[in-house]
Amino acid sequence: MEAPEEPASRPDRTDQSDQRDRPDGTDRSDRSDRPDRGGRSGPSDSGLPPRVAAELDGTVGAYWRARERQHLRDVYAGVRIKKFPEDLRMMEHLMWLSRSQAVVELGTHFGGSALWFRDRLRTLAAYGRVPAGVRVVTVDLRQDKARAALSAADPSYEDGITLIEGDVADPETALRARAALPAGARCLVVEDTLHTYGTTAAALRNFAPLVPVGGFFVVEDGIVDVPELCPPGMPGGVLPAVRDWLACPDGADFRQRRDLERYGLTCHVGGWLERVRQGAAA
């Protein structure tokens, strides 16, 4: 489903190593902020760079806000993408480390990120990291704009991208997405819909079962719940939805990876989630 033209998304300002307070007001001693519930990073983390911290003040704060305005008009292959390069880089790391052969994207918009995900998956396949049959399955209420933009950018886009029209709150939509995936494919799920409590909770409930152990679910734009950064008119609710879902039985199979906010700038504060075990519902 399509987000407003000026969606809420600005970077985090926390440093996991020495600050206790997060932008969302929670205490850094919360166990969900640690690399895992056992206090150690998983074996895949060896491929990640050291973390760079940044503070939301003075010149840096002004830079963040300018970058927020800029990223709304950024493009990939001539198609609007609306994502921070730093967040795309972290997703690329996670796709490599988790050996994702497929991406399920919730919120297609114009389709620029679907093209980006497809091309990154093809690169992974070229290096032998994943099987050749890669696939992006991208979901939105309407796909008219995306279909037109993708066709203009790459007339053969359907070779690697499946467009699904549906509501993420409808469990049937998740079943259709699963059916479109290559058999046995490991999957990354990226949620970029309305950034409200209801849509975030529904996306987690319906699509988290697609994520394998060691895979990731990225909930975008938790920055809407940082009061001093939330753009006017955005109701928020992303971080409360993530918090409540992690506390329920389904969410207990995931850990929140605040340590993945490594590039100083991120739109997705609190939204990097890793599956650590296979529950009965998955």
Side-chain angles (χ1 to χ4, degrees):
M1 74 184 47
E2 183 170 281
E5 271 298 300
E6 299 292 335
S9 50
R10 289 192 175 91
D12 180 23
R13 59 185 172 96
T14 61
D15 177 10
Q16 182 184 359
S17 62
D18 59 7
Q19 295 179 10
R20 293 177 64 82
D21 293 332
R22 301 174 180 153
D24 59 351
T26 58
D27 188 273
R28 189 158 287 283
S29 62
D30 186 340
R31 291 181 63 85
S32 65
D33 184 42
R34 299 177 184 177
D36 68 19
R37 290 186 174 98
R40 66 186 189 282
S41 297
S44 66
D45 292 1
S46 61
L48 296 176
R51 184 172 180 181
V52 174
E55 285 297 323
L56 180 61
D57 53 21
T59 302
V60 175
Y63 173 67
W64 275 353
R65 290 178 173 85
R67 287 286 306 282
E68 158 64 16
R69 292 190 295 272
Q70 177 197 52
H71 100 285
L72 296 174
R73 297 293 180 265
D74 207 352
V75 297
Y76 176 76
V79 183
R80 190 79 61 82
I81 189 169
K82 293 186 176 182
K83 295 192 190 298
F84 269 29
E86 292 84 355
D87 288 328
L88 291 172
R89 181 64 179 132
M90 180 51 65
M91 291 183 196
E92 187 173 25
H93 277 305
L94 299 184
M95 292 159 68
W96 175 274
L97 296 172
S98 64
R99 296 180 181 268
S100 296
Q101 184 187 352
V103 172
V104 172
E105 178 187 49
L106 310 179
T108 308
H109 310 301
F110 290 95
S113 53
L115 281 173
W116 185 90
F117 284 125
R118 182 205 63 181
D119 292 350
R120 301 289 75 70
L121 290 171
R122 286 180 171 177
T123 299
L124 265 62
Y127 280 107
R129 189 71 175 173
V130 301
V134 300
R135 175 66 49 176
V136 175
V137 179
T138 183
V139 178
D140 218 315
L141 288 174
R142 295 283 301 274
Q143 296 286 20
D144 307 67
K145 291 187 292 185
R147 192 172 291 110
L150 290 170
S151 295
D154 180 1
S156 64
Y157 76 89
E158 290 179 306
D159 290 346
I161 298 173
T162 299
L163 300 178
I164 290 180
E165 291 188 342
D167 190 338
V168 298
D170 183 355
E172 179 64 26
T173 303
L175 294 177
R176 291 166 59 201
R178 183 188 290 273
L181 295 172
R186 291 179 59 80
C187 181
L188 169 75
V189 177
V190 178
E191 194 277 335
D192 186 17
T193 58
L194 290 180
H195 315 312
T196 63
Y197 185 97
T199 56
T200 303
L204 286 164
R205 181 173 62 251
N206 292 331
F207 289 86
L210 300 180
V211 178
V213 173
F216 294 86
F217 191 121
V218 182
V219 179
E220 296 204 352
D221 294 317
I223 206 70
V224 298
D225 295 303
V226 180
E228 67 271 32
L229 296 175
C230 182
M234 295 299 297
V238 170
L239 291 180
V242 170
R243 179 198 63 216
D244 291 351
W245 183 77
L246 288 170
C248 77
D250 290 345
D253 296 328
F254 285 75
R255 59 176 174 174
Q256 187 179 48
R257 293 290 303 273
R258 295 298 303 273
D259 61 298
L260 295 179
E261 298 163 29
R262 296 206 172 199
Y263 287 98
L265 304 181
T266 180
C267 294
H268 313 326
V269 51
W272 306 89
L273 310 178
E274 180 184 11
R275 181 183 284 279
V276 294
R277 59 178 172 266
Q278 192 74 30

